């Protein structure tokens, strides 16, 4: 029998604590499931409610964007000549938050990861890698949010003359 790091076998330990039953795995077929867990958000706490029932599950859209621009000296490069990868990332962060507020309802948006290169105080970033997390309980609204973010990125990329690659990390319908 397999043993743990202390040399104890699972069967022996189940017997010791009185949990080794006689039924074979799969012998009992449940007719319903109840999932109990602590809420993952602050809503029940804020509303002073001790228990709640899940009414919907959010759809999730996670995308990683890689922006390629051109590094230049921050002090000597005029704004009109910049191809700033960090600017696009910052604009998406603001746009996504504003979009979620404007759409209202259950729409949320987060830029949760952001890395700039070369990450120096006096250099225009030539690379930005960031993630956008969009969620909604309504599939059509989630698609609208995805399209709005993509359109914003395309517009700013064109204006700033930077290249953008997108990689879908996860996509689940509500």
């Amino acid at each position: 029998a397999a043993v743990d790091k202390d040399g104890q076998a699972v069967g022996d330990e189940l017997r010791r604590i009185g949990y080794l039953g006689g039924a074979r795995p799969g012998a009992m077929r449940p007719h319903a499931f109840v999932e109990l867990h602590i809420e993952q958000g602050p809503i029940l706490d804020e509303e002073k409610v001790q228990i709640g029932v899940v009414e919907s599950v959010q759809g999730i859209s996670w995308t990683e964007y890689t922006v390629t621009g051109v590094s230049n000296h921050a002090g000597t490069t005029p704004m009109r000549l910049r191809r700033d990868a960090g600017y696009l990332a910052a604009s998406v962060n603001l746009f996504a938050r504003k979009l979620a507020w404007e759409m209202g309802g259950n729409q949320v948006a987060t830029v949760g990861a952001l890395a700039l290169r070369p990450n120096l105080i006096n250099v225009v970033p030539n690379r930005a890698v960031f993630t956008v997390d969009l969620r909604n309980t309504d599939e059509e609204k989630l698609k609208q949010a995805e399209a709005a973010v993509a359109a914003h990125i395309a517009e700013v990329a064109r204006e700033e003359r930077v290249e953008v690659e997108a990689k879908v990390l996860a996509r689940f319908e509500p």
Side-chain angles (χ1 to χ4, degrees):
V3 295
D4 67 11
K5 63 180 174 60
D6 297 321
Q8 305 299 320
V10 172
D12 293 340
E13 287 301 295
L14 289 174
R15 191 174 296 103
R16 182 181 67 78
I17 64 174
Y19 277 39
L20 183 65
R24 298 176 56 87
M28 294 176 30
R29 298 283 182 198
H31 69 279
F33 293 90
V34 175
E35 179 184 352
L36 301 175
H37 61 87
I38 297 171
E39 184 189 15
Q40 296 176 352
I43 298 170
L44 294 180
D45 187 51
E46 178 189 57
E47 295 179 359
K48 307 290 188 243
V49 175
Q50 291 188 353
I51 190 167
V53 176
V54 174
E55 296 173 337
S56 61
V57 176
Q58 293 179 323
I60 297 174
S61 172
W62 288 352
T63 306
E64 179 184 80
Y65 293 95
T66 301
V67 184
T68 304
V70 176
S71 284
N72 276 304
H73 191 284
T76 61
T77 306
M79 299 307 286
R80 72 180 187 284
L81 298 179
R82 294 179 183 213
R83 296 175 60 192
D84 187 341
Y87 173 74
L88 187 141
S91 76
V92 172
N93 196 344
L94 294 171
F95 178 85
R97 185 176 176 91
K98 183 178 177 192
L99 176 68
W101 278 107
E102 288 173 354
M103 289 182 70
N106 294 317
Q107 183 64 53
V108 294
T110 304
V111 172
L114 170 62
L116 300 177
R117 189 180 74 193
N119 200 30
L120 298 169
I121 194 169
N122 65 337
V123 178
V124 175
N126 68 357
R127 181 178 171 93
V129 179
F130 63 96
T131 58
V132 176
D133 177 332
L134 300 171
R135 300 183 192 212
N136 201 310
T137 55
D138 181 297
E139 176 66 11
E140 290 309 309
K141 289 183 179 179
L142 183 57
K143 286 179 180 179
Q144 288 172 8
E146 290 171 318
V149 168
H152 175 78
I153 289 172
E155 178 184 347
V156 175
R158 186 175 53 258
E159 292 170 358
E160 197 66 16
R161 300 172 329 278
V162 295
E163 302 296 321
V164 180
E165 293 179 30
K167 179 169 74 172
V168 175
L169 302 177
R171 180 60 166 85
F172 303 104
E173 292 185 13

